[in-house]
Amino acid sequence: MEVCYQLPVLPLDRPVPKHVLSRRGAISFSSSSSLFGAPDPRQLSQRRGAISYDSSDQTALYIRMLARLGCGSPSSDPERRVHRLLSFQRYLHSSRLLRGVPQQIPLHILDEDYTGQARCMLEKVGNWNFDIFLFDRLTNGNSLITLTFHLLNQYGLVELFQLDMVKLWRFLVMVQEDYHSNNPYHNAVHAADVTQAMYCYMQEPMLARSLTSYDILLGLLAAATHDLDHPGVNQPFLIKTDHYLATLYRNTSVLENHHWKSAVGLLRETGLFSHLPAEDRLSMERELGSLILATDISRQNDYLSRFRLHLNQENLCLSNASHRHFILQMALKCADICNPCRPWELSKQWSEKVTEEFFKQGDIEKKHKLEVSPVCNRENNTVGNIQIGFMTYVAEPLFAEWARFSDTRLSQTMLGHMGLNKASWGGLQQEQTTVSEEAEPSTAGTDAEDGAARRNDNTATATGGTSSKEIPQGSRES
């Protein structure tokens, strides 16, 4: 008997079991994967979605064929082949049977206290102090699914766009699982955080009065998918290792193009908008891509210059669809890098996570004897100096212009937090410097003794005598 419609209306009622969220495919940079050039075909055969490139068809680069055709490698186990032929609900049920795990009591019954706390948090989802880390724990690691569904439902978009509940749930589950949980920063929690920030910006008076339901739907989907399948390394790394994605997108907005096309692949695989006319679906996919591509940090100055020009000329008209779309681009850019604008307790956690991801890339580069990328060397960088530089040259210019556009309490709060956070990192840097200087006298004393001994050696040698103290080579720190 088909049981596809037994999925809950609200994700909070039934958090997705952890084993269901195990990723079925990802970009990998492990020592066993192909680092230089295209990935091992055996690894590609295990991915849920294969990448297809046809220069004459820019709207169909990603074909999620493996999930539907069951055409895995000969080494695929029977369990994996069976899963590809099952509906989503049957997959949930069969995964327990095939793995020998008995049917479990629904998690929402066991975690009622946590569910209640998560519901309370959602009542304040528009608060800038929203703690996404706590929310992720309260939702059993399903913050992106739960938050995105809640916002879509709160805006009435599920009913307005006649979205099938099962398709929507399946889409959100697949989006969350296509984020790499082993990435310290670019993971599903970051996507949830960006989605929550995007909601805060869309609630600002100027946008709330102007955005259409279609704009809001695009904004939320773009925020949720903007870093989909992020490998945890940056574009220069992909280019210098001759990764197939860099070749595919000709070294231009490589990651952002991949995020966009991955999102399109999931939309098509789940058929979330299959009930809409084909022209409308293609238009939605293009505009989704336009928003995601705007998050390319290498194009920051282009967008900022255009934004500044509009503000100087005072010619932004939010009744104009193209102007609204541009403001959505700027809002997503702000949401993507808003960590320095959060309260210190949250901002510090994000700063440490993104820095650790940088350092992990640097470790990979060292391992493979590649030039270590800027800010990726853990030996000569600190969280503080990286964050101060980022705030000074990237975040502050962007949020200053956003405050000109939307001079509200939220904008001033963000600028205030960023100023305090920058000062806090500066204070921590100074403390570290002071500690280092306090440790130097003993070293300085040793150096003085070594210098005196060396002078004695030179004197003794000049007079034909011998040194009373020999200094071993390499004993002094450089």
Side-chain angles (χ1 to χ4, degrees), residues 361-411:
Q361 175 179 325
D363 294 341
I364 295 173
E365 291 168 332
K366 291 176 187 176
K367 178 179 180 180
H368 294 280
K369 295 180 172 55
L370 301 171
E371 181 182 357
V372 179
S373 301
V375 309
C376 291
N377 193 336
R378 66 173 74 242
E379 295 178 2
N380 55 20
N381 283 290
T382 65
V383 180
N385 62 37
I386 291 174
Q387 286 304 304
I388 291 173
F390 181 77
M391 292 184 206
T392 302
Y393 299 107
V394 179
E396 287 178 344
L398 176 62
F399 284 95
E401 297 305 320
W402 181 262
R404 285 179 62 196
F405 164 72
S406 179
D407 187 11
T408 63
R409 180 179 178 180
L410 174 58
S411 296

Side-chain angles (χ1 to χ4, degrees), residues 46-120:
Q46 296 174 1
R47 300 186 62 203
R48 181 182 64 226
I51 297 176
S52 172
Y53 180 68
D54 180 356
S55 59
S56 64
D57 182 10
Q58 294 295 325
T59 65
L61 301 186
Y62 283 73
I63 303 175
R64 300 277 182 170
M65 65 178 87
L66 297 184
R68 286 175 281 187
L69 301 181
C71 52
S73 65
S75 62
S76 296
D77 56 281
E79 176 187 344
R80 185 177 295 276
R81 289 198 296 271
V82 170
H83 286 172
R84 294 194 183 106
L85 302 176
L86 299 179
S87 69
F88 178 62
Q89 182 67 13
R90 287 182 178 178
Y91 169 77
L92 297 181
H93 181 67
S94 67
S95 62
R96 301 187 186 99
L97 298 181
L98 290 171
R99 299 181 188 187
V101 179
Q103 189 77 22
Q104 297 178 351
I105 300 174
L107 290 177
H108 72 279
I109 295 178
L110 299 178
D111 299 330
E112 191 64 39
D113 289 341
Y114 286 93
T115 300
Q117 293 178 58
R119 288 187 185 280
C120 289

